[in-house]
Amino acid sequence: MSLDVLTPVSELTAALGDAVVTEPDLMLAYRRDQSLLTAAGMPLALVRARDTDDVVAALKIAHRHGVPVVTRGAGTGLAGAANALDGCIVLSMEKMNAVLDIDPAARTATVQPGVINGDLAAAAAEHGLWYVPDPGSRAISSIGGNLATNAGGTCCAKYGVTGDHVARIKAVLADGRIIHTGATTRKNVAGLNLTQLLVGSEGTLAVIVEATMRLRAAPTAAATVVASFPETAQAIEAVLAIRQVAEPCLAELMDRTTIAAVNDMTHMGLDESAGALLLIQCDGRDSTAEARICAQACADAGATEVYDTDDPVEGEAFMQARRVALTALERRGSTLLDDLSVPVHRLPEMLQAIEGIAARYDLTIGTFGHAADGNLHPTIVFDASDSEQSARALQSFDEMVVECLALGGSISGEHGIGVLKEPYMEAMVGATERELMARVKEAFDPTGILNPGRGL
């Protein structure tokens, strides 16, 4: 090992002690996220930060030596944004996992980045409050990672994404300086909105070490509707009709491939003859009446079976079917999960295109997602040990992204860009706009050491 390589490692070890890991075998689990077909390098060192001082020290050393830094949360990302680069420092935030404060009067929670989403929701519930953002990975994904990708979830159509629930961020710049952005007040227009620049930046601008998240009063009640349709287009017709007369907190779609996979895993007795299943949930004082309106809209759109309930246990059981969609598809082979958003009225065209792509490449593609806001997750199932199948999977993935763009959509609704979607960024945002993004990054990180080549 050269002297140049030893110097930053020696400095890290001297400054941070056993928070630094350099044994290759111990770093393997930190090399990549859950994105199967994206490249991952071998880090120079892993730093498992215990507090903000550790983050500051690690970044000062990295900045001094020009060593890239890849910040990592729980590793549940699906776009390769947390994949290691050769010779980088992987900065893990998993040990910074304390809920620092919950203020019921202000309806805020201040947390470290390693706090698991579901744990924050549970802590808020103890105070009769609700942390809303609920990505499918909420039981295992961290708030820092949710902020880094601006994660969404099932309730986005009514309540928004993670960025809509953040009040204030404490972060560390590449050179070790600490910054505070935002305010805990409801209204704040002092200067540029640096908070929303950090949200969704995938670790390219700064390292988030603390966040104050907004909470809501817990909903008083919830009612659930489950409807089966012969075709996905009819399910979307129902969603469009519902949007005119009601505001459900979620409207989730599963196609026939996903229904079969979930049924096989859970034995729930879902209708496998259906082309699509729509799961709708309404909350608030009028939830039962609103759910019945949604149920009627489903029937009018051609649903073959409609069931509604205000029993919270039954509602949660149906929600569980949607939550395990990806896990159920993973049981059938290797998966390549896409994340595409189109205008809701163009969902039938996108779904039809996905079916055509699956047939053309002779691949299984199970599609599920958030129909109420147009965000789909077509999931390609293939054999990763077969190079020819892997190539077809990548080609079909590319075609789905191209079709999404042609329909006026976005290449990512909630998973971020990372490595996986970087080739499509210029087509999505434009060359001049991408140049502006690069200049913003340069203002935050002049030497370009924070997650280089990702997110932008």
Side-chain angles (χ1 to χ4, degrees), residues 390-404:
S390 296
R392 280 191 281 125
L394 286 169
Q395 288 173 316
S396 64
F397 184 92
D398 183 74
E399 284 203 21
M400 287 191 292
V401 175
V402 170
E403 185 65 29
C404 172

Side-chain angles (χ1 to χ4, degrees), residues 60 128 137 151 187 193 293 366 380 417 430:
K60 283 183 175 179
S137 60
K187 297 169 73 175
N193 194 338
I293 293 171
I380 306 161
I417 300 304

Side-chain angles (χ1 to χ4, degrees), residues 34 71-77 82 91-98 111-121 131 133-152 162 208 211 213 414:
Q34 295 186 19
T71 307
R72 177 187 176 89
T76 62
L91 181 56
S92 170
M93 312 302 286
E94 63 186 331
K95 290 191 173 184
M96 294 179 63
N97 59 2
V111 300
Q112 292 182 314
V115 169
I116 298 300
N117 180 301
D119 292 344
L120 172 55
Y131 179 65
D134 62 341
S137 60
R138 78 175 311 171
I140 54 174
S141 65
S142 66
I143 296 299
N146 293 169
L147 287 164
T149 60
N150 201 7
T162 301
I208 296 171
M213 310 303 295
E414 56 188 10

